[in-house]
């Protein structure tokens, strides 16, 4: 069997990761199976296995991309700015809402909370914690309404 070039291998790996990210964000991590992924990425299951032996290996590749896509939508310059950017994203950005939900499969709640405390610029940790709790509560209450504005039919 002929070996593929490194360029083709990189392109295939990228296609697998993009398809996996799309599945996790739009259909949920429970739907990320190698069979579904193979169909979405238009590659054989054995082709996926040559790049990722375990689902956890693939999930490790997706985690930083989800975190990055969430972070780019938020303002961390103060607790108040963080909260305002969070509520705006929850109210208007369907992908942000899906990313927040998807992040639950990758990021432990306590780790996410601690990371936010470290990232938000503030000298008052208690105020920062208060705004983070408010943001989380806001998402819990409002995220479903935003998701209803962009209903997608699973493929």
């Amino acid at each position: 069997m002929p070996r593929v070039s490194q360029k083709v291998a990189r392109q295939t790996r990228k296609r697998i990761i993009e398809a996996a990210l799309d599945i996790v964000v739009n259909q949920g991590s429970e739907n990320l199976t190698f069979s579904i992924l193979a169909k979405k990425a238009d590659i054989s299951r054995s082709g996926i296995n040559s790049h990722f032996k375990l689902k956890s290996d693939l999930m490790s590749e997706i985690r930083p991309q989800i975190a990055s896509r969430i972070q780019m939508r938020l303002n961390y310059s103060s607790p108040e700015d963080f909260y305002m950017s969070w509520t705006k994203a929850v109210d208007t950005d369907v992908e942000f809402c899906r990313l927040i939900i998807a992040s639950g499969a990758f990021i432990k709640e306590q780790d996410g909370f601690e990371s936010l405390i470290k990232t938000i610029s503030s000298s008052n940790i208690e105020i920062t914690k208060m705004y983070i709790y408010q943001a989380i509560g806001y998402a819990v209450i409002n995220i479903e309404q935003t998701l209803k504005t962009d209903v997608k039919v699973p493929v």
Side-chain angles (χ1 to χ4, degrees):
M1 195 177 216
R3 294 183 52 90
V4 297
S5 70
Q6 286 184 351
K7 180 180 179 182
V8 170
R10 281 192 306 273
Q11 290 171 338
T12 301
R13 181 181 178 86
K14 181 180 177 188
R15 197 166 78 235
I16 292 168
I17 292 168
E18 287 172 356
L21 185 59
D22 184 71
I23 291 167
V24 168
V25 171
N26 293 304
Q27 298 175 28
S29 61
E30 66 279 359
N31 289 305
L32 181 61
T33 65
F34 279 12
S35 296
I36 292 172
L37 179 57
K39 185 176 181 179
K40 178 104 178 139
D42 194 28
I43 186 173
S44 68
R45 278 194 56 163
S46 61
I48 293 171
N49 284 351
S50 69
H51 291 275
F52 300 98
K53 300 294 179 211
L54 303 170
K55 181 178 174 180
S56 60
D57 297 336
L58 182 55
M59 298 289 263
S60 293
E61 287 283 332
I62 295 171
R63 182 177 188 236
Q65 292 186 34
I66 287 179
S68 174
R69 289 180 182 196
I70 290 171
Q71 290 169 350
M72 66 187 259
R73 291 165 160 87
L74 300 173
N75 181 341
Y76 298 98
S77 58
S78 74
E80 296 86 356
D81 289 337
F82 165 76
Y83 179 75
M84 295 303 292
S85 64
W86 178 278
T87 57
K88 180 181 178 188
V90 166
D91 288 342
T92 62
D93 190 336
V94 172
E95 185 181 43
F96 177 80
C97 294
R98 288 191 175 131
L99 288 163
I100 292 297
I101 292 168
S103 71
F106 299 92
I107 303 168
K108 295 178 185 171
E109 289 177 26
Q110 190 61 36
D111 292 344
F113 188 80
E114 290 172 9
S115 176
L116 286 172
I117 290 171
K118 291 176 187 172
T119 306
I120 297 169
S121 298
S122 175
S123 58
N124 189 327
I125 296 212
E126 292 308 312
I127 294 289
T128 302
K129 287 180 181 180
M130 180 192 73
Y131 276 103
I132 293 170
Y133 283 127
Q134 284 181 317
I136 293 167
Y138 190 87
V140 168
I141 293 168
N142 294 290
I143 218 166
E144 187 176 323
Q145 186 61 40
T146 301
L147 290 174
K148 285 180 184 177
T149 65
D150 186 51
V151 176
K152 285 189 177 181
V153 178
V155 177

